[in-house]
Amino acid sequence: MRLALVIIAASLVLFGVQSRSETALERGRYLVDTIASCGNCHTPKGPNGPLPGKKLAGGDVIKHQDFSAVVPNITSDQETGIGKWTDDEISLVIREGKRPDGTLIGPAMPSRSYRNLGDEDVRAIVAYLRAVPAVHNPITAKSQYDAIFPASWGPPVGHVNAPPKEDRIAYGAYLAGPLARCMDCHTNQHKGATSELGAGGKAFYGPWGVSVSANITPDRTDGLGDWTDAQIERAIRTGVARDGHKLFPPMPFTSYAQIATDDMAALIAHLRSLPVTDRAAQASGHMPDTAAPLL
């Protein structure tokens, strides 16, 4: 009888731990710091990496061929951050790219991808941003864009449910889409050419020079078709390619190192399911000769 009670008690403890639900704050921390890697843009950096005490305080400039975007402070500072914004206003700026004053946020903020974020994940992100220490960081520089913004980035976002984690490929697509935005970087959308999902060829300009996103479709010539799951995982987590060469920014390998095991498996399953695409054919003439490889 005593042995049976011990076994029952141990089982209750075990199953109690396994069934514990993730809090909104924990989920938000994981999304912001890991899979979405918001700090990759919003945390200012120096020669040695992120500046101490400046997490999500903004101020860096993202340069592109047709814009220079000054990154805003998204800490809860009342004067220089989003401390005076309501939860709904923060949600609106994330999913629709619209500030409380009605003006639009331009690229590189991926609002058109974030439109597909699940409601619970948006609430979790907002909860975590509220918990991040406020940083007073006045930013006076202004973003510059060559193109005129539309009236909006799309119609108002209604109710959005994230795919269930049990549907591995669908959930992997959710991770690679609105959360990690893999497809934003690995799909080259240029004028006058067909864009193929995940086929790469998009150039990024930074202190490292020029890097170009790789083909992450299962193509065996130019993509990940001959890579093992372990090789893909190593590249995502550490920035080391199949042949051992070091991959370049802006892919946030440090953040991706903390991706949950199940999420990584789902992400890889989704990449395996992509239509095979030959990036070399569709990106011809659009890749800088001096470009460095980027997964």
Side-chain angles (χ1 to χ4, degrees):
M1 176 65 72
R2 180 175 300 175
L3 178 59
L5 291 174
V6 170
I7 292 174
I8 292 171
S11 298
L12 289 173
V13 171
L14 176 63
F15 286 111
V17 171
Q18 290 179 336
S19 63
R20 176 184 173 275
S21 296
E22 188 178 39
T23 67
L25 188 59
E26 289 169 338
R27 176 67 174 171
R29 178 182 291 109
Y30 174 68
L31 295 176
V32 170
D33 290 347
T34 302
I35 194 75
S37 189
C38 301
N40 196 42
C41 291
H42 287 277
T43 297
K45 301 167 187 65
N48 299 317
L51 297 179
K54 295 286 188 177
K55 181 176 180 177
L56 303 181
D60 279 354
V61 178
I62 299 175
K63 293 187 177 181
H64 194 264
Q65 286 178 308
D66 53 4
F67 68 79
S68 293
V70 181
V71 181
N73 182 347
I74 58 171
T75 74
S76 56
D77 183 70
Q78 293 281 317
E79 295 179 7
T80 66
I82 58 174
K84 292 182 179 179
W85 296 13
T86 66
D87 289 0
D88 287 343
E89 287 171 338
I90 298 174
S91 296
L92 187 69
V93 80
I94 292 172
R95 288 212 283 200
E96 298 185 26
K98 185 178 295 184
R99 300 182 183 90
D101 64 5
T103 59
L104 293 182
I105 292 181
M109 178 67 176
S111 299
R112 281 169 283 189
S113 290
Y114 287 164
R115 296 175 67 82
N116 297 307
L117 287 174
D119 295 350
E120 291 187 5
D121 281 344
V122 174
R123 286 192 288 267
I125 290 171
V126 173
Y128 180 60
L129 291 179
R130 294 289 193 202
V132 172
V135 180
H136 187 76
N137 186 33
I139 300 170
T140 57
K142 301 294 182 183
S143 299
Q144 302 293 327
Y145 295 93
D146 292 346
I148 299 174
F149 291 170
S152 71
W153 298 122
V157 177
H159 180 66
V160 179
N161 283 324
K165 292 186 177 182
E166 292 74 21
D167 187 340
R168 178 173 287 192
I169 292 179
Y171 190 69
Y174 179 67
L175 295 173
L179 280 176
R181 305 172 311 285
C182 306
M183 297 308 150
D184 277 2
C185 291
H186 289 273
T187 302
N188 188 17
Q189 300 186 19
H190 46 259
K191 295 179 180 178
T194 301
S195 299
E196 300 290 348
L197 189 67
K202 186 174 182 179
F204 296 86
Y205 302 79
W208 60 85
V210 184
S211 55
V212 175
S213 59
N215 182 347
I216 56 173
T217 73
D219 178 70
R220 291 186 178 277
T221 301
D222 193 34
L224 303 178
D226 289 332
W227 292 43
T228 66
D229 287 1
Q231 289 169 338
I232 297 173
E233 180 170 354
R234 182 179 75 161
I236 294 172
R237 290 191 188 278
T238 70
V240 176
R242 181 189 181 194
D243 62 5
H245 77 264
K246 189 67 176 176
L247 299 167
F248 281 69
M251 190 159 166
F253 306 109
T254 302
S255 297
Y256 289 170
Q258 307 303 317
I259 292 176
T261 301
D262 289 348
D263 283 357
M264 181 63 71
L267 182 57
I268 294 173
H270 167 64
L271 296 180
R272 297 285 193 206
S273 75
L274 290 173
V276 174
T277 304
D278 181 4
R279 183 196 68 189
Q282 67 92 25
S284 177
H286 297 277
M287 185 181 297
D289 294 334
T290 58
L294 161 71
L295 181 66

mmCIF file of all heavy atoms in Angstrom, residues 54-81:
data_model
loop_
_atom_site.group_PDB
_atom_site.id
_atom_site.type_symbol
_atom_site.label_atom_id
_atom_site.label_comp_id
_atom_site.label_asym_id
_atom_site.label_seq_id
_atom_site.Cartn_x
_atom_site.Cartn_y
_atom_site.Cartn_z
ATOM 1 N N LYS A 54 20.106 48.535 -23.081
ATOM 2 C CA LYS A 54 19.337 49.174 -24.154
ATOM 3 C C LYS A 54 18.368 48.207 -24.835
ATOM 4 O O LYS A 54 17.946 48.448 -25.969
ATOM 5 C CB LYS A 54 20.284 49.757 -25.199
ATOM 6 C CG LYS A 54 21.165 50.891 -24.702
ATOM 7 C CD LYS A 54 20.380 52.171 -24.525
ATOM 8 C CE LYS A 54 21.295 53.347 -24.226
ATOM 9 N NZ LYS A 54 20.542 54.617 -24.112
ATOM 10 N N LYS A 55 17.988 47.158 -24.176
ATOM 11 C CA LYS A 55 17.133 46.151 -24.813
ATOM 12 C C LYS A 55 15.851 46.779 -25.350
ATOM 13 O O LYS A 55 15.105 47.442 -24.622
ATOM 14 C CB LYS A 55 16.790 45.055 -23.803
ATOM 15 C CG LYS A 55 15.914 43.948 -24.383
ATOM 16 C CD LYS A 55 15.681 42.838 -23.373
ATOM 17 C CE LYS A 55 14.801 41.755 -23.966
ATOM 18 N NZ LYS A 55 14.604 40.614 -23.036
ATOM 19 N N LEU A 56 15.623 46.609 -26.656
ATOM 20 C CA LEU A 56 14.428 47.062 -27.373
ATOM 21 C C LEU A 56 14.262 48.582 -27.380
ATOM 22 O O LEU A 56 13.181 49.093 -27.643
ATOM 23 C CB LEU A 56 13.163 46.403 -26.812
ATOM 24 C CG LEU A 56 13.147 44.860 -26.810
ATOM 25 C CD1 LEU A 56 11.818 44.359 -26.253
ATOM 26 C CD2 LEU A 56 13.382 44.306 -28.204
ATOM 27 N N ALA A 57 15.360 49.315 -27.112
ATOM 28 C CA ALA A 57 15.282 50.771 -27.004
ATOM 29 C C ALA A 57 15.412 51.490 -28.342
ATOM 30 O O ALA A 57 15.270 52.720 -28.399
ATOM 31 C CB ALA A 57 16.353 51.289 -26.040
ATOM 32 N N GLY A 58 15.653 50.763 -29.429
ATOM 33 C CA GLY A 58 15.687 51.370 -30.755
ATOM 34 C C GLY A 58 16.858 52.291 -31.000
ATOM 35 O O GLY A 58 17.778 52.399 -30.196
ATOM 36 N N GLY A 59 16.820 52.948 -32.160
ATOM 37 C CA GLY A 59 17.839 53.919 -32.515
ATOM 38 C C GLY A 59 18.710 53.525 -33.686
ATOM 39 O O GLY A 59 19.312 54.385 -34.333
ATOM 40 N N ASP A 60 18.798 52.229 -33.977
ATOM 41 C CA ASP A 60 19.583 51.797 -35.132
ATOM 42 C C ASP A 60 18.878 52.182 -36.433
ATOM 43 O O ASP A 60 17.675 52.449 -36.445
ATOM 44 C CB ASP A 60 19.805 50.283 -35.100
ATOM 45 C CG ASP A 60 20.952 49.877 -34.168
ATOM 46 O OD1 ASP A 60 21.633 50.780 -33.649
ATOM 47 O OD2 ASP A 60 21.153 48.662 -33.962
ATOM 48 N N VAL A 61 19.617 52.178 -37.521
ATOM 49 C CA VAL A 61 19.065 52.496 -38.838
ATOM 50 C C VAL A 61 19.213 51.273 -39.740
ATOM 51 O O VAL A 61 20.303 50.714 -39.871
ATOM 52 C CB VAL A 61 19.776 53.701 -39.479
ATOM 53 C CG1 VAL A 61 19.208 53.978 -40.868
ATOM 54 C CG2 VAL A 61 19.643 54.931 -38.590
ATOM 55 N N ILE A 62 18.100 50.830 -40.311
ATOM 56 C CA ILE A 62 18.108 49.715 -41.254
ATOM 57 C C ILE A 62 18.115 50.295 -42.664
ATOM 58 O O ILE A 62 17.182 50.990 -43.064
ATOM 59 C CB ILE A 62 16.882 48.810 -41.048
ATOM 60 C CG1 ILE A 62 16.904 48.217 -39.635
ATOM 61 C CG2 ILE A 62 16.851 47.705 -42.099
ATOM 62 C CD1 ILE A 62 15.672 47.401 -39.306
ATOM 63 N N LYS A 63 19.175 50.003 -43.402
ATOM 64 C CA LYS A 63 19.315 50.562 -44.751
ATOM 65 C C LYS A 63 18.962 49.520 -45.797
ATOM 66 O O LYS A 63 19.330 48.364 -45.705
ATOM 67 C CB LYS A 63 20.740 51.064 -44.953
ATOM 68 C CG LYS A 63 21.075 52.256 -44.072
ATOM 69 C CD LYS A 63 22.437 52.834 -44.404
ATOM 70 C CE LYS A 63 22.724 54.061 -43.556
ATOM 71 N NZ LYS A 63 24.040 54.671 -43.869
ATOM 72 N N HIS A 64 18.220 49.985 -46.789
ATOM 73 C CA HIS A 64 17.815 49.150 -47.911
ATOM 74 C C HIS A 64 18.021 49.960 -49.171
ATOM 75 O O HIS A 64 18.352 51.154 -49.115
ATOM 76 C CB HIS A 64 16.343 48.745 -47.746
ATOM 77 C CG HIS A 64 15.906 47.639 -48.630
ATOM 78 N ND1 HIS A 64 15.284 47.858 -49.833
ATOM 79 C CD2 HIS A 64 15.999 46.289 -48.500
ATOM 80 C CE1 HIS A 64 15.012 46.702 -50.405
ATOM 81 N NE2 HIS A 64 15.432 45.733 -49.628
ATOM 82 N N GLN A 65 17.843 49.310 -50.315
ATOM 83 C CA GLN A 65 18.033 50.033 -51.574
ATOM 84 C C GLN A 65 17.092 51.220 -51.711
ATOM 85 O O GLN A 65 17.455 52.239 -52.296
ATOM 86 C CB GLN A 65 17.833 49.081 -52.758
ATOM 87 C CG GLN A 65 18.987 48.105 -52.959
ATOM 88 C CD GLN A 65 18.734 47.158 -54.099
ATOM 89 O OE1 GLN A 65 17.698 46.516 -54.158
ATOM 90 N NE2 GLN A 65 19.685 47.056 -55.015
ATOM 91 N N ASP A 66 15.859 51.099 -51.174
ATOM 92 C CA ASP A 66 14.892 52.173 -51.360
ATOM 93 C C ASP A 66 14.361 52.766 -50.056
ATOM 94 O O ASP A 66 13.349 53.450 -50.055
ATOM 95 C CB ASP A 66 13.725 51.704 -52.232
ATOM 96 C CG ASP A 66 13.093 50.422 -51.706
ATOM 97 O OD1 ASP A 66 13.503 49.945 -50.631
ATOM 98 O OD2 ASP A 66 12.176 49.903 -52.366
ATOM 99 N N PHE A 67 15.034 52.512 -48.950
ATOM 100 C CA PHE A 67 14.639 53.184 -47.704
ATOM 101 C C PHE A 67 15.739 53.087 -46.662
ATOM 102 O O PHE A 67 16.637 52.241 -46.747
ATOM 103 C CB PHE A 67 13.333 52.603 -47.136
ATOM 104 C CG PHE A 67 13.434 51.187 -46.623
ATOM 105 C CD1 PHE A 67 13.982 50.907 -45.369
ATOM 106 C CD2 PHE A 67 12.954 50.128 -47.376
ATOM 107 C CE1 PHE A 67 14.052 49.606 -44.888
ATOM 108 C CE2 PHE A 67 13.016 48.826 -46.914
ATOM 109 C CZ PHE A 67 13.573 48.562 -45.663
ATOM 110 N N SER A 68 15.653 54.008 -45.707
ATOM 111 C CA SER A 68 16.470 53.972 -44.493
ATOM 112 C C SER A 68 15.506 54.116 -43.327
ATOM 113 O O SER A 68 14.909 55.181 -43.134
ATOM 114 C CB SER A 68 17.510 55.095 -44.475
ATOM 115 O OG SER A 68 18.486 54.909 -45.474
ATOM 116 N N ALA A 69 15.326 53.047 -42.563
ATOM 117 C CA ALA A 69 14.333 53.045 -41.490
ATOM 118 C C ALA A 69 15.018 53.206 -40.136
ATOM 119 O O ALA A 69 15.924 52.443 -39.798
ATOM 120 C CB ALA A 69 13.538 51.742 -41.514
ATOM 121 N N VAL A 70 14.577 54.195 -39.382
ATOM 122 C CA VAL A 70 15.074 54.408 -38.026
ATOM 123 C C VAL A 70 14.211 53.578 -37.078
ATOM 124 O O VAL A 70 12.989 53.746 -37.032
ATOM 125 C CB VAL A 70 15.019 55.896 -37.642
ATOM 126 C CG1 VAL A 70 15.556 56.100 -36.231
ATOM 127 C CG2 VAL A 70 15.819 56.727 -38.642
ATOM 128 N N VAL A 71 14.835 52.701 -36.331
ATOM 129 C CA VAL A 71 14.099 51.753 -35.494
ATOM 130 C C VAL A 71 13.604 52.430 -34.218
ATOM 131 O O VAL A 71 14.379 53.089 -33.518
ATOM 132 C CB VAL A 71 15.003 50.554 -35.134
ATOM 133 C CG1 VAL A 71 14.242 49.545 -34.294
ATOM 134 C CG2 VAL A 71 15.539 49.893 -36.401
ATOM 135 N N PRO A 72 12.317 52.291 -33.878
ATOM 136 C CA PRO A 72 11.767 52.962 -32.701
ATOM 137 C C PRO A 72 12.040 52.222 -31.394
ATOM 138 O O PRO A 72 12.394 51.036 -31.370
ATOM 139 C CB PRO A 72 10.264 52.982 -32.987
ATOM 140 C CG PRO A 72 10.049 51.761 -33.819
ATOM 141 C CD PRO A 72 11.270 51.624 -34.676
ATOM 142 N N ASN A 73 11.870 52.946 -30.311
ATOM 143 C CA ASN A 73 11.956 52.415 -28.954
ATOM 144 C C ASN A 73 10.629 51.736 -28.623
ATOM 145 O O ASN A 73 9.580 52.376 -28.656
ATOM 146 C CB ASN A 73 12.228 53.584 -27.993
ATOM 147 C CG ASN A 73 12.389 53.150 -26.543
ATOM 148 O OD1 ASN A 73 12.081 52.026 -26.177
ATOM 149 N ND2 ASN A 73 12.869 54.074 -25.718
ATOM 150 N N ILE A 74 10.669 50.431 -28.324
ATOM 151 C CA ILE A 74 9.421 49.728 -27.981
ATOM 152 C C ILE A 74 9.410 49.275 -26.523
ATOM 153 O O ILE A 74 8.674 48.357 -26.155
ATOM 154 C CB ILE A 74 9.145 48.540 -28.928
ATOM 155 C CG1 ILE A 74 10.294 47.531 -28.908
ATOM 156 C CG2 ILE A 74 8.878 49.041 -30.332
ATOM 157 C CD1 ILE A 74 9.961 46.231 -29.660
ATOM 158 N N THR A 75 10.220 49.938 -25.693
ATOM 159 C CA THR A 75 10.103 49.697 -24.253
ATOM 160 C C THR A 75 8.945 50.530 -23.713
ATOM 161 O O THR A 75 8.372 51.364 -24.429
ATOM 162 C CB THR A 75 11.395 50.073 -23.504
ATOM 163 O OG1 THR A 75 11.517 51.507 -23.430
ATOM 164 C CG2 THR A 75 12.625 49.490 -24.186
ATOM 165 N N SER A 76 8.624 50.330 -22.460
ATOM 166 C CA SER A 76 7.477 51.019 -21.860
ATOM 167 C C SER A 76 7.812 52.405 -21.321
ATOM 168 O O SER A 76 7.063 52.947 -20.492
ATOM 169 C CB SER A 76 6.884 50.156 -20.743
ATOM 170 O OG SER A 76 7.875 49.831 -19.781
ATOM 171 N N ASP A 77 8.902 53.003 -21.785
ATOM 172 C CA ASP A 77 9.219 54.371 -21.376
ATOM 173 C C ASP A 77 8.085 55.304 -21.792
ATOM 174 O O ASP A 77 7.602 55.245 -22.936
ATOM 175 C CB ASP A 77 10.531 54.828 -22.025
ATOM 176 C CG ASP A 77 10.929 56.221 -21.580
ATOM 177 O OD1 ASP A 77 11.314 56.384 -20.411
ATOM 178 O OD2 ASP A 77 10.836 57.155 -22.409
ATOM 179 N N GLN A 78 7.670 56.165 -20.885
ATOM 180 C CA GLN A 78 6.511 57.021 -21.119
ATOM 181 C C GLN A 78 6.775 58.105 -22.151
ATOM 182 O O GLN A 78 5.858 58.537 -22.854
ATOM 183 C CB GLN A 78 6.087 57.675 -19.798
ATOM 184 C CG GLN A 78 5.547 56.704 -18.759
ATOM 185 C CD GLN A 78 4.104 56.315 -19.045
ATOM 186 O OE1 GLN A 78 3.276 57.146 -19.384
ATOM 187 N NE2 GLN A 78 3.806 55.032 -18.912
ATOM 188 N N GLU A 79 7.994 58.570 -22.263
ATOM 189 C CA GLU A 79 8.280 59.696 -23.152
ATOM 190 C C GLU A 79 8.854 59.259 -24.492
ATOM 191 O O GLU A 79 8.491 59.827 -25.536
ATOM 192 C CB GLU A 79 9.270 60.654 -22.473
ATOM 193 C CG GLU A 79 8.705 61.321 -21.223
ATOM 194 C CD GLU A 79 9.715 62.248 -20.572
ATOM 195 O OE1 GLU A 79 10.797 62.461 -21.174
ATOM 196 O OE2 GLU A 79 9.436 62.745 -19.471
ATOM 197 N N THR A 80 9.736 58.279 -24.498
ATOM 198 C CA THR A 80 10.420 57.926 -25.746
ATOM 199 C C THR A 80 10.039 56.540 -26.265
ATOM 200 O O THR A 80 10.498 56.144 -27.346
ATOM 201 C CB THR A 80 11.954 57.972 -25.550
ATOM 202 O OG1 THR A 80 12.353 56.944 -24.619
ATOM 203 C CG2 THR A 80 12.379 59.325 -25.019
ATOM 204 N N GLY A 81 9.200 55.835 -25.539
ATOM 205 C CA GLY A 81 8.795 54.494 -25.948
ATOM 206 C C GLY A 81 7.299 54.390 -26.155
ATOM 207 O O GLY A 81 6.652 55.340 -26.596
#
